[in-house]
Amino acid sequence: MNKPVAIYDTTLRDGAQAEGISFSVADKIRIAERLDAFGIHYVEGGWPGSNPKDLDFFDAAARRKLKQAKIAAFGSTRRAQAKCQDDPQVAMLLKANTTVVTLVGKTWPLHVKEVIRTTLPENLAMIADSVRYFKENGKEVMYDAEHFFDGYRDDARYAMATLRAAADTGADAVVLCDTNGGALPSDVARITAEVRKALRCAVGIHTHNDCGLAVANALAAVENGATQVQGTINGFGERTGNCNLTTVIPCLALKMGRDGIPRENLRRLRELSLFVDDLANLRHDVRQPFTGATAFTHKGGIHANAVEKLARSYEHIEPELVGNRRRVLVSELSGRSNIFMKAHELGIHLDKDSTEAKDVLRQLKQHEHAGYEYEAADASFHILVQKLLKRHKSFFNLLAYRVIMDRHGNGEHKIVEASVKLQVKGHVVHTVSEGDGPVNALDRALRAALEKFYPSIAQVKLLDYKVRIVDSQLATAAKTRVIIESTDGTAIWGTVGVNDNIIEASWEALVDSVEYKLFKDEQKK
Amino acid sequence: MNKPVAIYDTTLRDGAQAEGISFSVADKIRIAERLDAFGIHYVEGGWPGSNPKDLDFFDAAARRKLKQAKIAAFGSTRRAQAKCQDDPQVAMLLKANTTVVTLVGKTWPLHVKEVIRTTLPENLAMIADSVRYFKENGKEVMYDAEHFFDGYRDDARYAMATLRAAADTGADAVVLCDTNGGALPSDVARITAEVRKALRCAVGIHTHNDCGLAVANALAAVENGATQVQGTINGFGERTGNCNLTTVIPCLALKMGRDGIPRENLRRLRELSLFVDDLANLRHDVRQPFTGATAFTHKGGIHANAVEKLARSYEHIEPELVGNRRRVLVSELSGRSNIFMKAHELGIHLDKDSTEAKDVLRQLKQHEHAGYEYEAADASFHILVQKLLKRHKSFFNLLAYRVIMDRHGNGEHKIVEASVKLQVKGHVVHTVSEGDGPVNALDRALRAALEKFYPSIAQVKLLDYKVRIVDSQLATAAKTRVIIESTDGTAIWGTVGVNDNIIEASWEALVDSVEYKLFKDEQKK
C-alpha cells in the first residue's frame, strides 16, 4: 500500500506563529518559490481573514507561475448563525483567489460549547455549509479538524460526525489535527486507522511537537492510512513548533519508502532548511535530524574510526541523500557537491578535480569560517566564485567613505551624513548624501556616484535587510552578518557582508548587490 | 501493567560525546548530585577504559553520599581471544568501584566480522564471560546491545542469541540500543515485544535522535514491556543527540501514568534542564518540549483569548507540573487580554476598565504600529508601561552623542569612535570610546559614563543582538528594529528599539537594558 504521501507546508501560516518569526511579503514569495522547486505539493500562504496583510501575499503569488505546488489559503468555518455569503472572514478567504482552501473547524464538544459558544448541531452545520460553499466556488477543500484527538477521546461519535459533515459535503481531505501536541503515537495510530475505515475521502495529519512526538505522530498516521502530512520547514511554529517537514520528508522517503517528494530533490533538503532559517533570521539548529551541521558528525574515537572502515555501521543513511555530509575531523567546509551544484545552478562551470576547483573550495571554507553564509545570498556567492576564478570584473573602486552621526538632546538636532569617493571608468567621483540612518546615507551616496555612469542602477531597490551576530557570546563586539535582498523589478537576489562593524558589513552587501546587477546587465548585451 | 520505569542517565558519558561539550570533574559531580536529587535511578559517569580522566570522577563520586541514585561505569565486553582477568579495559572498569557496570557488546554480525573482526561464537563468549565476571565481582550488570535493531533486522536469531548470552549469565537487564538512530517506532514496538517474550530479565531501551524519533522509540519500547529508559538531559549526545530525558520523563509520568520519577520532583524539571545547559555552556533551546521558554507561550490572538477562557483547551498539560509557566506574547496580533495577562505577569496591576488602562492600551497599539515588538523584550515592555503610568524613574539624561566612521581604500585606515554626553545625578559626564563598530563604541562610552555612579552596570553583559527591518518594502530607508538580550549573571532580559536609524534604535535598546537593570537593583533595596 505504497500510496504517495502529499506534503502540505504551513511554514508561512502556522510557522509564522512562532516567537520571533515575522516574514515580509518578499520573504514569503521567495519561500513559496523554493518550496515549489523542492516539490512540496501544497503551500499554505496565510489566513486572509485574520491578517489583512496576507492578502498582499496571495496577490503577489497569483502573479507568479509555480511549477507544481498549489497555493492554499487558510480560514475557519463560517460563524455560528450566519450565512457563508454574509461572513466577512469567508469573503476574504474567497478573495485570496487560491486553488486550495483549508478550513479549520471544531471537533471537541468542550470547544464548541465554551470557546465558540454554540450548539453541537450548529457546529456540524457550520462545517457542512462552509465546505459546500467553497466546493461550489470550485476550490479544492481541506478540512482541518482542530483538537481532533482530544475531541475523539472525549466523544468519539461527535468527533466522527464532524469529519462526516466535511466528507459528505465534498471535502477533498479531512486532516486530523493534534492542536495542542499532547497525543501519543500509539493513540494516533489507532484513531487514524479507525477514521480511515469510516471515511472514503483522503485523510491528513497535522501535529505539534509539545511532547517531542510531532514527527512520530505523523509517521504513525501515515502507517495507518493518512496520505497527507502537514508541517513546517525546520519545525517552526507556536510553542515547541509543528511537525518538522525536514525530518518527516526523509523519514517517509528513505525509511518507509513512500513516494511523495522526488528522491533527487532530497539532496537539496539541507539547503532548503538553511534558506528558511536565514529568511526567518533564526539561528540554524546544528542538531536538527538529517539537515543539522552535526547530524553526521563523528566525535567518539571508536565511531570515527569505524565510520572510516564501514560507513554503514554508524550512519543510518548516506548524508549526501539529504544534501548533508559526514564530518569526522573538525572542519567547517560545506559539502563539496553542494558547492558544485550551486555553481552549476548559477551557470558557472567548475571541473571537480581541477586545481581551480580545489582553490575555490579552500577559499570558500575560509569565508564560511569567517561567518559568511551563502544559502540566502546567491549573488554574493556568484561574485565570490567569479573573483576566485579571476573572472570578476570590478565596475568601480572605493577610495574612501565617511559617516557622521550627531544627536543633541531629544533628537531635535540630528545629522546623518555619508560621503563616498569612488573611481569609476577612470573618473574620480565624490558624493555626499544624508539619510535616515548610516546605511541609507551610504546607499544614497553610492547610487548618486554611480548613476550617471550606469543608469540601470536606478531600477535596483532593496527589499529587505537582515542582521545577525555570528558569535553572539561577544555581543556588540562580535561579528555582524548582514543579508540584503534586492530587486530590479523582475529578479530578486540576495547578498551578504560580514564584519566587526555593521556599517562595513552593510557596505559589503550593498556593493555586491550593485555589482551583481551590473554584471547581469552586461551578460544580457 | 504499571511497572515502574527506571531512568538511566548517560549525560556524563554519551552526552559528553556531543560537539562542543566537555565537562570538568567538578561539573560532573554537580550534575550527578542534581540528577540524584531529582530522582534519576542510574547515573552513568564515564568510560574509565577509554578516558582515564573518568576515573577521577568515579573517585570523587565514591566519596560523596548520594540519596538514591546508583553510579554506573560504562565499558565494553572483553577483547576477543582474551581472559577478562587479563584485559586492561575490564580492569579499569572494575577499578571504577561502582555499584553498577554497564557493558556494551556486539549484536550485528556485520560488526562482529568487520569492526571487531572475530567469529560469531567468540562474540557470544565475550558477552557471557564479561557479564559473568562482573556478576562474580558483585556488580549490578546492564548489558547494552549495540546496534540491536539493525542486527535484529539482519539476523534475528543471532541478535537474540547475544541477548541470551547476557541474560543467561546473570545480567540484571539487557538494553536494546538503536545506536545509529535509524529505527522507526513501529519496528521498535514489535521487536521489543518479541524480546520481552523471549527473556526473563528486565529490558531497557537506549535511543538516538537521528530521525527525530528518539523519544517516540523509547515510549514504544516501554509500551511493549521495557522497564528502563536510557537518555541524557536536554538530549545531549553525538550527532543529533540521545533520547531527551527532559521529554521522556514527563511523557512517561504525565501522559502514560507510569511510576518512576516522583511526581512532585517533575516540578523541578525546567530548573534541571537549565542547570545542565549552563554547566555545558550551551544556549537553552527555547523550543524544547516541556522545559523550553516558549513551550507554553501563546501568540495568536484567538488562542490567547481562548486560553484565558479555558486553559485546558490549548495546553496539553499544566505548565507548573514541569516547573514551567504560561507566557503570553504581546505582538501585533495581540488583543487586550494578552496585554493584561502580560502586565500581570510582570507584577504591574492594571484595572481593565480604568481610564489609565485604556490609555496604556491605546499607546501600546501606537508603539506596535510603529514597529515595536515586545515578545522578546519584556524589559522594554515593563519600562514602557511604567512610563505610560508616569511611574518611570530616569537614571540619566542624554545631552548628546556623536559617532564618526572613516575608511580609506581597502580599510587599512579606519576609525570608529563614539562620544556620549550625559547628565547623571546632577553631573555632566562626557566620555569617548572607540569600538569595532558604532554600536559597540556607543555601548562602551555609555558604560564608561555610568559606571562610577552605578557600579552594578559592570555586571551587565550583552548576550545577543538582533536586527530586522520592520517595513521591508522601504529597505534601508525603512524602520529598523533592534532586539538586545542582556544578563547580569542571574537574570536575562530583552529590550527593543525602533528607529529609521539603526544606531538610534540600538541606542534605545541599550538605554532600556541599562535602566531596567538599575530599576531592578532599586527594587531589591
Side-chain angles (χ1 to χ4, degrees):
Chain A
M1 55 139 237
N2 184 356
K3 273 200 187 170
V5 178
I7 303 295
Y8 182 108
D9 178 280
T10 179
T11 305
L12 304 180
R13 204 264 312 164
D14 231 8
Q17 294 286 324
E19 192 170 356
I21 292 188
S22 92
F23 293 121
S24 69
V25 173
D27 288 339
K28 284 185 153 195
I29 291 288
R30 287 184 77 192
I31 291 172
E33 288 179 341
R34 275 285 186 120
L35 294 172
D36 175 45
F38 186 75
I40 300 287
H41 309 93
Y42 297 95
V43 175
E44 189 176 85
W47 184 345
S50 108
N51 185 353
K53 265 200 326 192
D54 282 354
L55 279 178
D56 297 343
F57 165 78
F58 289 113
D59 254 18
R63 277 180 277 112
R64 312 245 154 189
K65 195 145 179 55
L66 296 183
K67 276 189 227 162
Q68 53 83 35
K70 295 177 186 170
I71 298 284
F74 178 90
S76 76
T77 53
R78 68 160 172 81
R79 282 187 307 195
Q81 321 297 344
K83 285 186 175 160
C84 285
Q85 298 88 303
D86 306 332
D87 186 321
Q89 190 261 148
V90 170
M92 296 277 261
L93 204 45
L94 204 54
K95 206 175 157 200
N97 195 24
T98 54
T99 313
V100 180
V101 164
T102 299
L103 292 168
V104 64
K106 297 291 184 196
T107 311
W108 196 357
L110 175 84
H111 262 226
V112 175
K113 292 175 201 156
E114 303 283 334
V115 180
I116 60 171
R117 298 192 176 167
T118 189
T119 65
L120 297 182
E122 172 63 6
N123 180 51
L124 296 179
M126 287 158 66
I127 297 169
D129 289 353
S130 308
V131 171
R132 192 183 302 112
Y133 180 77
F134 285 103
K135 285 309 293 179
E136 282 168 4
N137 278 280
K139 303 295 181 187
E140 181 173 342
V141 176
M142 310 291 176
Y143 174 68
D144 271 16
E146 196 191 45
H147 285 293
F148 183 74
F149 299 97
D150 291 304
Y152 190 92
R153 247 191 310 268
D154 214 33
D155 184 345
R157 268 169 96 97
Y158 186 73
M160 288 304 302
T162 64
L163 296 187
R164 267 193 218 98
D168 293 350
T169 45
D172 297 277
V174 299
V175 180
L176 314 182
C177 301
D178 180 27
T179 308
N180 61 28
L184 296 178
S186 45
D187 293 328
V188 171
R190 181 176 47 80
I191 295 172
T192 306
E194 282 169 30
V195 169
R196 196 69 211 83
K197 251 187 287 167
L199 296 182
R200 252 173 310 169
C201 72
V203 173
I205 181 79
H206 174 114
T207 56
H208 285 260
N209 203 37
D210 296 76
C211 294
L213 296 167
V215 168
N217 283 336
L219 298 182
V222 170
E223 285 181 331
N224 288 279
T227 51
Q228 181 194 127
V229 171
Q230 300 196 345
T232 62
I233 301 299
N234 300 332
F236 292 168
E238 207 178 7
R239 305 186 311 276
T240 57
N242 285 53
C243 176
N244 190 340
L245 290 181
T246 65
T247 308
V248 90
I249 288 171
C251 281
L252 288 170
L254 304 175
K255 294 280 158 180
M256 292 166 59
R258 299 296 292 257
D259 290 335
I261 303 295
R263 193 67 65 96
E264 63 275 18
N265 294 9
L266 288 193
R267 291 181 179 269
R268 301 163 80 183
L269 187 69
R270 175 163 151 84
E271 194 186 307
L272 175 67
S273 166
L274 293 175
F275 174 80
V276 174
D277 270 344
D278 277 351
L279 287 202
N281 206 9
L282 282 190
R283 189 180 301 274
H284 164 59
D285 177 5
V286 295
R287 273 177 20 181
Q288 186 158 269
F290 297 99
T291 62
T294 71
F296 299 93
T297 293
H298 302 279
K299 183 182 176 189
I302 44 154
H303 280 214
N305 202 299
V307 167
E308 249 178 314
K309 265 195 218 161
L310 196 64
R312 196 183 140 214
S313 307
Y314 288 95
E315 284 172 356
H316 66 117
I317 60 159
E318 284 172 43
E320 291 75 18
L321 293 177
V322 291
N324 211 332
R325 64 189 189 93
R326 181 178 310 145
R327 284 161 72 228
V328 175
L329 305 168
V330 177
S331 137
E332 303 293 325
L333 180 58
S334 26
R336 227 174 206 261
S337 41
N338 273 7
I339 286 171
F340 288 106
M341 276 170 71
K342 192 139 180 180
H344 182 73
E345 187 189 309
L346 294 169
I348 302 171
H349 178 71
L350 272 180
D351 178 2
K352 265 198 195 192
D353 301 312
S354 63
T355 343
E356 232 177 8
K358 280 176 196 149
D359 228 46
V360 168
L361 265 173
R362 197 177 40 77
Q363 297 200 47
L364 265 175
K365 180 178 164 178
Q366 284 173 8
H367 276 257
E368 292 192 337
H369 193 76
Y372 288 81
E373 221 175 60
Y374 295 99
E375 298 303 335
D378 285 12
S380 286
F381 179 83
H382 188 276
I383 289 175
L384 177 68
V385 173
Q386 295 284 3
K387 276 183 185 162
L388 297 178
L389 296 176
K390 313 252 179 328
R391 288 184 211 149
H392 177 68
K393 185 193 154 190
S394 221
F395 294 88
F396 60 90
N397 288 317
L398 174 69
L399 300 176
Y401 72 64
R402 171 173 300 158
V403 178
I404 295 172
M405 272 173 298
D406 241 335
R407 173 183 147 167
H408 288 251
N410 289 323
E412 61 278 9
H413 173 68
K414 240 198 287 194
I415 291 175
V416 181
E417 182 192 290
S419 58
V420 166
K421 199 159 139 194
L422 305 180
Q423 188 162 37
V424 196
K425 293 183 173 174
H427 300 80
V428 171
V429 200
H430 199 172
T431 52
V432 63
S433 186
E434 289 192 314
D436 294 316
V439 180
N440 179 234
L442 270 174
D443 181 36
R444 286 188 187 171
L446 175 63
R447 283 154 194 278
L450 291 177
E451 268 180 33
K452 60 179 151 180
F453 299 97
Y454 305 110
S456 73
I457 286 301
Q459 298 157 11
V460 181
K461 282 193 177 39
L462 304 187
L463 285 176
D464 206 351
Y465 173 76
K466 290 181 183 141
V467 183
R468 286 272 348 194
I469 297 305
V470 182
D471 176 11
S472 70
Q473 302 304 319
L474 301 172
T476 56
K479 286 215 171 153
T480 303
R481 174 172 55 227
V482 169
I483 290 181
I484 284 179
E485 280 175 12
S486 312
T487 184
D488 55 7
T490 51
I492 296 180
W493 62 91
T495 55
V496 60
V498 173
N499 199 282
D500 296 341
N501 181 339
I502 191 172
I503 307 302
E504 243 331 271
S506 307
W507 171 261
E508 208 180 312
L510 278 176
V511 168
D512 270 8
S513 170
V514 163
E515 290 215 311
Y516 184 71
K517 164 68 177 162
L518 298 176
F519 169 81
K520 277 200 313 158
D521 287 354
E522 269 210 348
Q523 293 291 92
K524 278 191 213 137
K525 280 176 198 165
Chain B
M1 53 138 236
N2 184 355
K3 274 201 188 169
V5 178
I7 305 294
Y8 183 107
D9 179 280
T10 178
T11 306
L12 304 180
R13 205 263 313 163
D14 231 7
Q17 295 287 322
E19 199 173 350
I21 292 187
S22 94
F23 294 121
S24 67
V25 172
D27 289 339
K28 283 184 153 197
I29 290 289
R30 288 183 72 192
I31 291 172
E33 288 179 341
R34 275 286 186 118
L35 294 172
D36 175 45
F38 186 76
I40 300 286
H41 309 93
Y42 297 95
V43 176
E44 188 176 86
W47 185 345
S50 108
N51 184 355
K53 261 202 333 189
D54 283 354
L55 278 178
D56 296 344
F57 165 78
F58 291 112
D59 255 17
R63 277 179 276 114
R64 313 242 154 192
K65 193 142 180 61
L66 296 182
K67 275 191 233 162
Q68 54 82 34
K70 295 177 187 170
I71 298 284
F74 178 90
S76 75
T77 53
R78 69 159 171 81
R79 282 187 309 193
Q81 321 296 343
K83 286 185 174 160
C84 284
Q85 296 88 303
D86 305 333
D87 186 321
Q89 189 261 151
V90 170
M92 296 276 261
L93 205 45
L94 205 54
K95 205 176 159 197
N97 194 25
T98 54
T99 313
V100 181
V101 165
T102 299
L103 293 168
V104 63
K106 297 291 184 195
T107 311
W108 196 357
L110 176 83
H111 263 225
V112 175
K113 292 175 199 158
E114 303 283 334
V115 180
I116 60 170
R117 299 196 175 164
T118 189
T119 64
L120 297 182
E122 171 64 6
N123 180 52
L124 296 179
M126 287 158 65
I127 298 168
D129 288 354
S130 308
V131 171
R132 192 184 303 112
Y133 181 77
F134 285 102
K135 285 308 292 178
E136 282 168 5
N137 278 280
K139 303 295 180 187
E140 181 174 344
V141 176
M142 311 290 177
Y143 174 68
D144 272 16
E146 195 191 47
H147 285 294
F148 182 75
F149 298 96
D150 291 305
Y152 190 92
R153 247 192 311 269
D154 214 34
D155 184 345
R157 270 169 96 95
Y158 186 74
M160 288 303 301
T162 64
L163 297 186
R164 268 194 216 97
D168 292 350
T169 45
D172 296 277
V174 298
V175 180
L176 314 181
C177 301
D178 181 27
T179 308
N180 63 28
L184 296 178
S186 45
D187 293 329
V188 171
R190 181 176 47 79
I191 295 172
T192 306
E194 281 169 30
V195 168
R196 198 68 213 84
K197 252 187 287 169
L199 297 183
R200 253 173 309 171
C201 73
V203 173
I205 181 78
H206 174 113
T207 56
H208 285 261
N209 203 37
D210 297 77
C211 295
L213 297 167
V215 169
N217 283 336
L219 298 182
V222 170
E223 284 181 330
N224 287 279
T227 50
Q228 180 194 127
V229 172
Q230 299 197 346
T232 62
I233 301 300
N234 299 332
F236 292 167
E238 207 180 8
R239 305 187 311 275
T240 58
N242 284 54
C243 176
N244 190 341
L245 290 180
T246 64
T247 308
V248 91
I249 288 171
C251 281
L252 288 170
L254 305 174
K255 296 280 158 179
M256 291 164 61
R258 298 296 292 258
D259 290 335
I261 303 296
R263 192 68 65 96
E264 62 275 19
N265 294 9
L266 287 193
R267 292 180 180 270
R268 299 160 73 187
L269 187 68
R270 175 164 152 82
E271 196 185 305
L272 175 66
S273 165
L274 292 175
F275 174 79
V276 174
D277 269 344
D278 277 352
L279 287 201
N281 202 15
L282 283 190
R283 181 182 299 275
H284 164 60
D285 176 6
V286 295
R287 272 175 23 179
Q288 187 158 269
F290 297 98
T291 61
T294 71
F296 299 93
T297 293
H298 303 278
K299 183 182 179 185
I302 44 154
H303 279 214
N305 202 301
V307 167
E308 230 183 334
K309 265 195 219 162
L310 196 63
R312 194 183 142 215
S313 306
Y314 288 94
E315 284 172 355
H316 66 116
I317 60 159
E318 283 172 44
E320 292 74 19
L321 292 178
V322 290
N324 211 332
R325 67 195 180 92
R326 181 177 308 147
R327 281 166 71 231
V328 177
L329 297 179
V330 180
S331 81
E332 270 183 281
L333 306 174
S334 62
R336 238 170 198 263
S337 41
N338 276 13
I339 285 170
F340 288 105
M341 277 174 74
K342 182 94 191 182
H344 182 72
E345 190 187 303
L346 292 170
I348 302 171
H349 178 71
L350 272 180
D351 178 2
K352 265 198 195 192
D353 301 313
S354 63
T355 343
E356 232 179 8
K358 280 178 195 149
D359 229 44
V360 168
L361 259 177
R362 198 176 39 76
Q363 296 200 48
L364 263 175
K365 278 219 171 116
Q366 284 173 9
H367 275 258
E368 292 194 338
H369 193 74
Y372 286 82
E373 220 176 59
Y374 294 99
E375 290 180 5
D378 284 13
S380 285
F381 180 82
H382 189 276
I383 289 176
L384 177 68
V385 173
Q386 296 283 4
K387 276 183 185 163
L388 297 179
L389 296 175
K390 313 250 179 328
R391 289 183 211 151
H392 177 68
K393 183 193 155 190
S394 220
F395 293 87
F396 59 89
N397 287 317
L398 175 69
L399 300 176
Y401 71 66
R402 171 173 300 158
V403 178
I404 296 173
M405 272 174 296
D406 242 334
R407 171 182 149 167
H408 288 250
N410 290 323
E412 60 278 10
H413 173 68
K414 244 198 284 195
I415 291 174
V416 181
E417 181 192 292
S419 58
V420 166
K421 198 159 139 194
L422 304 179
Q423 189 161 39
V424 196
K425 294 183 174 174
H427 300 80
V428 171
V429 201
H430 199 170
T431 51
V432 62
S433 187
E434 288 192 315
D436 294 315
V439 179
N440 179 235
L442 269 173
D443 181 36
R444 287 187 187 171
L446 175 63
R447 283 155 193 277
L450 291 177
E451 267 180 33
K452 59 180 151 181
F453 300 96
Y454 305 110
S456 73
I457 287 301
Q459 298 158 9
V460 181
K461 281 192 177 39
L462 304 187
L463 285 176
D464 206 353
Y465 172 75
K466 287 181 196 159
V467 184
R468 287 274 341 204
I469 297 306
V470 182
D471 176 10
S472 69
Q473 302 303 318
L474 302 173
T476 56
K479 288 215 168 151
T480 303
R481 173 171 57 227
V482 169
I483 289 181
I484 285 179
E485 272 176 20
S486 312
T487 184
D488 56 7
T490 51
I492 295 181
W493 62 92
T495 54
V496 60
V498 173
N499 199 281
D500 296 341
N501 182 340
I502 190 172
I503 306 304
E504 229 354 77
S506 306
W507 172 261
E508 206 180 314
L510 279 175
V511 168
D512 270 8
S513 170
V514 163
E515 290 215 311
Y516 185 72
K517 165 69 177 161
L518 297 176
F519 169 81
K520 275 199 315 158
D521 287 353
E522 269 210 348
Q523 294 290 93
K524 277 189 217 140
K525 281 178 199 165

